[in-house]
Amino acid sequence: MFLFKHANQSIELIDKFLNTIDQGGLIFKEGVYNYLYNNGDKFADNLRTLTQLETEADILKRKLETILYTQSLMPQLRGDILRLFEELDAIINLAKTNLFQFDVEVPFIPAELNADFVKLTELSASAIESVIPASRTWFKNPETVKEQLHRVYLYEKETDKLADSIKRRVFHDMPQIKLSEKFHLRYFTLHIETLSDAAQKVADTLSIMAIKRTV
Amino acid sequence: MFFIFSITSGLFLGWSLGANDAANVFGSAVGSRMLSFKKAAAIASIFVIIGAVVQGRGAANTLSDLSKVDALAGAFTVSLCAAFSVYLMTKRGLPVSTGQAVVGAIIGWSLFTGSKTDYHVLTTILASWVAGPLLGMVFASLLYLLMRWWLRRLSIHVIKLDTYIRLSLIMVGAFGAYSLGANNIANVMGVFVPSAPDVVLDFGLFTLDGAQLLFLLGGIAIAVGIYTYSERVMNTVGEGILSLTPEAAIVVVMSQALVLFLFSSTSLSNLLTASGLPAIPLVPVSSTQVVVGSVLGIGLIKGAREIKPKVIGGIALGWVATPVVAGLLTWFLLFFVQNVFQLQVTTHTSINLSPENTNVVTTRSIGYISMIWPALLVLMVLVILGLAWYLWWQQRLRMLAENELLTQQNQYFTAQKSLSELEVNTVQLENKILNNRLETKRQELINLALSIEDQRSFLENINAQVSAIQQMTTDRAVLDAVQNLTTTISQRMTFNRDMETFNGQVEQIHKDFQAKLDAVFPGLTDQEKRLATLLRLNLSTKEIAALLNISPKSTETARYRLRKRLNIQQGENLNLFINNL
């Protein structure tokens, strides 16, 4: 239908954008795993893919901004929607930056911490994976968004807990590691942890947006 | 002429209604920028006029039933006083409704002229003032619940919902404007209906009688009010009291439209009567008060404590104060109109004088005018104008697009130009840096050459002195020692290592020059090439002689030979030739 031509295009773009962010989280998880288990080629491939996804997300975000403004769609909700896109885009930007930090700084991670780091990355990525469906839901059923957001908060809390435990273990129970390496490990724990924080920020925004839209 | 003058007060009321009450229909849509003012004004104007002409008679007749204002001067005074009361109370910040002012003014007229007031109609009107906002509240609550259920059930994507909302705002707004015209035209032209011209205009597809012509004029006055003044009101209302979500705005406008429609639809009233149900009173209702009722209805459903006693009190005060003020004002003004201006404010006394006059009135013939050809003519003119406007608009769009393209191209060229200038500046700067570096290097070489030359003359001086000492002695041992010293000095005077360094640096700097020399003059010896390079450094003959370890005389000879080898004509400067190479 002609009237819905632009609307359908915008919906398609929003779906693509959300898919890209979702994929970014998955690739980040893969990348950390491959780094920890020394799969150099696969890690490099993950880095390349994540960079492409990040660029794609930026392009999609800009397109959506243009459409929302030029077609003056939803003047009352536009500001909130653009903020949501901005915060979602920040997640994939952060994921790319963090994976690049692994590539550039090549942190030394003792083998006994591998399992913890894998778990930490999975928890952080789960927060992202949970916030994406919640974002999709806001566009169709704002009333049910809250039901999905509790997962994000749970994963974020678990990530924080595990990150604390890793840092404690590194500084208290691993005297064989140099202090510089301990600092390095702390930073990388923090890098992974920030992803779940970014997801939580999106969840906060979504919950306010849902209240605004509940008629 | 007097008729046209008389209805100006009504037209003013119409203008005021358009300026203020159109905001109740499109205020939220325009204020929230879901709809542009131009579109809203066009839709509102068209539908207000249609509503007024098609369905305005019901509520207007009720006002006539209340008390028939049967003289033009009386109607003019009633309308003027109603308008003035509205202005006065609005100025004082009191809630006011045009309908209430008109009713008060009519009662004022009937009290002054001693005409009969139908108290049954008055009671109905008063009841409808209360019923209007209440009905608005009920409709809004029900519609809101229905919409909420519908939205939750269908789960429409917010982007699609935006399109649906825009369409709904337009459709509901059109219905609202229609109902506003149908119901409130009675306030604007109701008092003039008894004095309407007895004429019927036939447009082929439809006919318009005198009252409808009045309604058409009133509708146009409302449209003018919408276009000239309502934008500001819409923006104020849209961001203020009607700052609702678009969904709630649809509900409010819809419930208001339904209430106004109910209180103005003759067909619906007849239908109910035919079904044995009580008829709906056809009364002008305040759209603002119905909107307030509707907003309160939504507030009730949302559970918000939005019912403020002050608002209710304000409306109630309006119900009492507006008619009283308008009535008193009319009473006093009629006194002046009748006694000072000597104008007839009623005709009913003369009608009662003799039965003949009554017969005259009842047998008045109705003028029938066919408007088919004039209407067709107007239609054709409109079509032609529309076509011309369309072509002009297309042309304008094309021009705008071309201008936009041109501006973009200009910007692109300016950017390119700036970029090129930047590049040129960079290159110039680089060249300058390179030249400076070259000059520094050249200066270093000259310093080196001068240093070699100084050392050589110093050593020659020592050597001469040592040779003189050699002449003064015959002691074998001293002679041997002096001879050894002379040999050492002579060896040092060759400056082989320094010369190697110097030549190496010169070749490094003037690599391109030497390559060019080789290409243009392939037969040159190394010594000649070295001489040419030193000349390019602008060194003097003496300095060159020292560097080449030859005498200045030999340097002059070498220069002469080089001139020959380079085929330089007499009068031409060798240094200039080499520097330009």
Side-chain angles (χ1 to χ4, degrees):
Chain A
M1 195 174 161
F2 174 74
L3 275 173
F4 294 103
K5 190 181 149 201
H6 290 302
N8 287 333
Q9 275 176 357
S10 308
I11 293 169
E12 206 177 306
L13 279 180
I14 291 172
D15 280 341
K16 260 189 195 173
F17 178 72
L18 292 173
N19 289 346
T20 312
I21 308 292
D22 202 13
Q23 286 164 16
L26 292 172
I27 297 294
F28 175 78
K29 195 162 70 174
E30 277 288 306
V32 175
Y33 183 85
N34 285 326
Y35 178 84
L36 291 171
Y37 292 97
N38 297 323
N39 300 327
D41 291 344
K42 285 183 181 172
F43 174 76
D45 186 47
N46 293 145
L47 206 57
R48 260 194 307 277
T49 315
L50 194 52
T51 310
Q52 279 167 6
L53 288 172
E54 194 261 344
T55 314
E56 204 177 312
D58 278 340
I59 294 167
L60 289 168
K61 189 190 77 181
R62 274 196 286 277
K63 268 188 193 170
L64 281 166
E65 278 171 359
T66 313
I67 287 176
L68 288 179
Y69 273 104
T70 53
Q71 292 168 24
S72 62
L73 287 174
M74 300 162 297
Q76 289 195 323
L77 300 173
R78 192 164 52 201
D80 285 335
I81 294 177
L82 291 179
R83 197 172 128 208
L84 176 73
F85 290 158
E86 208 57 64
E87 284 175 3
L88 282 165
D89 189 47
I91 294 181
I92 197 166
N93 288 349
L94 207 60
K96 190 200 87 175
T97 312
N98 290 350
L99 208 60
F100 258 99
Q101 304 272 37
F102 276 96
D103 187 45
V104 174
E105 297 182 21
V106 198
F108 165 70
I109 298 173
E112 61 259 46
L113 284 180
N114 278 359
D116 280 347
F117 265 89
V118 167
K119 182 77 183 157
L120 183 72
T121 314
E122 273 175 1
L123 282 171
S124 212
S126 297
I128 300 171
E129 284 164 30
S130 306
V131 90
I132 300 294
S135 305
R136 283 188 215 279
T137 306
W138 180 84
F139 285 98
K140 283 190 167 184
N141 287 313
E143 289 86 6
T144 55
V145 166
K146 284 232 162 196
E147 293 162 19
Q148 299 186 11
L149 289 180
H150 73 97
R151 281 167 175 265
V152 184
Y153 293 117
L154 175 79
Y155 285 129
E156 196 276 335
K157 215 187 291 173
E158 290 301 310
T159 312
D160 280 357
K161 268 201 265 179
L162 185 58
D164 277 348
S165 138
I166 292 173
K167 282 184 251 180
R168 205 172 289 279
R169 207 174 144 199
V170 166
F171 280 94
H172 291 262
D173 308 332
M174 300 182 104
Q176 74 279 14
I177 306 177
K178 284 191 279 183
L179 187 63
S180 59
E181 286 170 346
K182 286 179 182 175
F183 283 155
H184 214 190
L185 282 170
R186 186 186 70 182
Y187 276 118
F188 275 84
T189 315
L190 198 66
H191 287 327
I192 298 170
E193 202 185 335
T194 50
L195 280 177
S196 68
D197 290 339
Q200 191 193 25
K201 207 173 162 196
V202 176
D204 289 340
T205 305
L206 272 174
S207 91
I208 294 167
M209 286 168 71
I211 293 168
K212 278 192 191 172
R213 263 202 73 200
T214 309
V215 289
Chain B
M1 200 64 199
F2 181 66
F3 177 78
I4 292 169
F5 172 75
S6 300
I7 62 167
T8 49
S9 58
L11 295 179
F12 172 67
L13 255 183
W15 176 85
S16 159
L17 189 92
N20 291 301
D21 287 16
N24 293 331
V25 180
F26 280 112
S28 290
V30 173
S32 63
R33 292 185 292 282
M34 290 291 280
L35 206 64
S36 70
F37 172 73
K38 275 184 186 172
K39 268 186 203 163
I43 296 166
S45 301
I46 292 168
F47 282 90
V48 156
I49 294 172
I50 295 174
V53 174
V54 174
Q55 205 178 300
R57 198 183 297 275
N61 283 345
T62 309
L63 283 189
S64 298
D65 292 344
L66 176 67
S67 196
K68 208 178 279 285
V69 184
D70 50 8
L72 267 177
F76 170 78
T77 314
V78 164
S79 196
L80 187 69
C81 289
F84 192 64
S85 313
V86 169
Y87 169 76
L88 213 67
M89 293 195 61
T90 310
K91 194 94 177 157
R92 294 253 165 205
L94 295 166
V96 64
S97 145
T98 317
Q100 287 153 9
V102 169
V103 168
I106 291 174
I107 292 170
W109 176 86
S110 60
L111 285 176
F112 181 82
T113 56
S115 305
K116 192 186 155 208
T117 303
D118 190 332
Y119 288 101
H120 173 69
V121 174
L122 183 63
T123 320
T124 313
I125 290 173
L126 293 178
S128 69
W129 288 352
V130 184
L134 284 176
L135 258 180
M137 192 187 280
V138 173
F139 282 154
S141 310
L142 293 174
L143 284 171
Y144 192 73
L145 281 172
L146 190 72
M147 177 172 268
R148 193 159 72 175
W149 171 80
W150 182 71
L151 284 177
R152 283 182 184 169
R153 195 179 155 81
L154 291 185
S155 304
I156 303 166
H157 196 284
V158 73
I159 305 271
K160 269 192 180 169
L161 187 64
D162 182 72
T163 313
Y164 281 123
I165 286 173
R166 274 168 210 268
L167 282 174
S168 307
L169 278 171
I170 291 173
M171 287 193 290
V172 171
F175 179 40
Y178 175 88
S179 299
L180 183 74
N183 188 279
N184 278 210
I185 195 68
N187 296 331
V188 178
M189 288 294 161
V191 288
F192 298 101
V193 170
S195 319
D198 293 319
V199 68
V200 172
L201 299 185
D202 185 0
F203 289 90
L205 293 173
F206 59 92
T207 56
L208 291 181
D209 60 18
Q212 281 175 312
L213 278 174
L214 276 178
F215 298 153
L216 180 66
L217 285 174
I220 292 168
I222 296 174
V224 172
I226 293 171
Y227 267 103
T228 53
Y229 205 77
S230 70
E231 185 172 12
R232 206 184 312 169
V233 184
M234 280 187 191
N235 284 325
T236 316
V237 165
E239 287 161 15
I241 57 163
L242 279 187
S243 173
L244 305 161
T245 60
E247 294 92 336
I250 292 170
V251 169
V252 168
V253 177
M254 186 67 186
S255 61
Q256 177 219 351
L258 280 173
V259 173
L260 294 186
F261 186 83
L262 276 181
F263 282 111
S264 59
S265 173
T266 318
S267 321
L268 198 66
S269 185
N270 292 342
L271 193 74
L272 288 175
T273 318
S275 316
L277 293 165
I280 299 169
L282 305 178
V283 184
V285 188
S286 161
S287 64
T288 310
Q289 290 178 5
V290 178
V291 164
V292 172
S294 306
V295 173
L296 291 177
I298 292 178
L300 277 177
I301 298 296
K302 284 172 99 173
R305 306 255 178 271
E306 287 181 21
I307 301 176
K308 294 174 186 160
K310 206 177 164 188
V311 177
I312 308 290
I315 293 173
L317 181 73
W319 290 336
V320 181
T322 317
V324 170
V325 170
L328 286 173
L329 206 65
T330 310
W331 198 90
F332 282 111
L333 200 67
L334 282 171
F335 179 79
F336 278 99
V337 170
Q338 191 180 50
N339 299 313
V340 179
F341 298 105
Q342 299 292 318
L343 290 170
Q344 197 181 12
V345 295
T346 180
T347 57
H348 74 277
T349 45
S350 60
I351 292 164
N352 291 337
L353 284 177
S354 63
E356 291 83 24
N357 282 344
T358 317
N359 291 338
V360 171
V361 171
T362 47
T363 55
R364 269 195 312 181
S365 61
I366 295 170
Y368 183 87
I369 303 166
S370 173
M371 294 293 288
I372 297 173
W373 285 111
L376 277 176
L377 201 69
V378 170
L379 198 70
M380 264 172 64
V381 170
L382 282 177
V383 168
I384 290 166
L385 282 176
L387 209 64
W389 178 84
Y390 177 76
L391 290 173
W392 171 81
W393 182 251
Q394 288 294 318
Q395 183 69 15
R396 188 167 171 264
L397 282 181
R398 205 174 302 131
M399 293 278 281
L400 279 175
E402 278 172 13
N403 278 345
E404 181 71 18
L405 196 69
L406 209 66
T407 317
Q408 276 181 4
Q409 277 177 352
N410 278 342
Q411 281 174 350
Y412 176 73
F413 284 136
T414 317
Q416 281 284 91
K417 206 176 148 191
S418 309
L419 206 67
S420 306
E421 276 173 10
L422 201 71
E423 277 177 9
V424 168
N425 285 343
T426 314
V427 169
Q428 279 176 346
L429 198 71
E430 277 174 5
N431 284 347
K432 206 172 167 184
I433 293 167
L434 281 174
N435 279 335
N436 283 343
R437 210 178 287 168
L438 207 65
E439 183 58 30
T440 316
K441 212 76 187 166
R442 204 179 73 83
Q443 210 60 47
E444 276 176 13
L445 287 174
I446 290 170
N447 288 342
L448 186 63
L450 289 175
S451 156
I452 291 169
E453 212 271 318
D454 275 356
Q455 286 177 49
R456 192 191 296 280
S457 61
F458 176 70
L459 288 172
E460 272 173 3
N461 194 16
I462 291 174
N463 206 18
Q465 287 181 28
V466 170
S467 298
I469 292 167
Q470 202 176 14
Q471 299 296 320
M472 288 178 209
T473 186
T474 50
D475 187 342
R476 193 72 222 161
V478 175
L479 279 172
D480 285 348
V482 170
Q483 186 56 48
N484 281 342
L485 189 62
T486 312
T487 313
T488 310
I489 290 169
S490 299
Q491 280 170 355
R492 185 66 192 90
M493 276 168 69
T494 55
F495 289 96
N496 284 341
R497 201 185 296 162
D498 290 337
M499 279 311 295
E500 271 173 27
T501 312
F502 179 79
N503 288 333
Q505 285 189 9
V506 168
E507 277 168 21
Q508 183 65 33
I509 295 169
H510 297 280
K511 215 188 300 176
D512 295 345
F513 173 70
Q514 295 213 345
K516 203 177 269 183
L517 267 183
D518 282 339
V520 183
F521 305 103
L524 291 180
T525 63
D526 285 349
Q527 191 70 2
E528 283 165 344
K529 277 193 270 186
R530 194 165 298 153
L531 177 63
T533 313
L534 293 175
L535 285 170
R536 195 176 164 85
L537 281 170
N538 283 331
L539 295 178
S540 67
T541 307
K542 203 176 163 191
E543 287 160 353
I544 294 171
L547 287 168
L548 296 180
N549 202 14
I550 53 174
S551 66
K553 185 82 186 156
S554 306
T555 311
E556 285 296 335
T557 314
R559 275 178 67 114
Y560 177 74
R561 281 201 199 109
L562 185 63
R563 280 181 73 96
K564 290 279 175 204
R565 296 297 301 272
L566 298 178
N567 297 325
I568 297 172
Q569 301 300 313
Q570 205 166 7
E572 209 174 336
N573 190 311
L574 174 66
N575 283 31
L576 205 65
F577 179 85
I578 287 173
N579 275 320
N580 288 340
L581 201 65

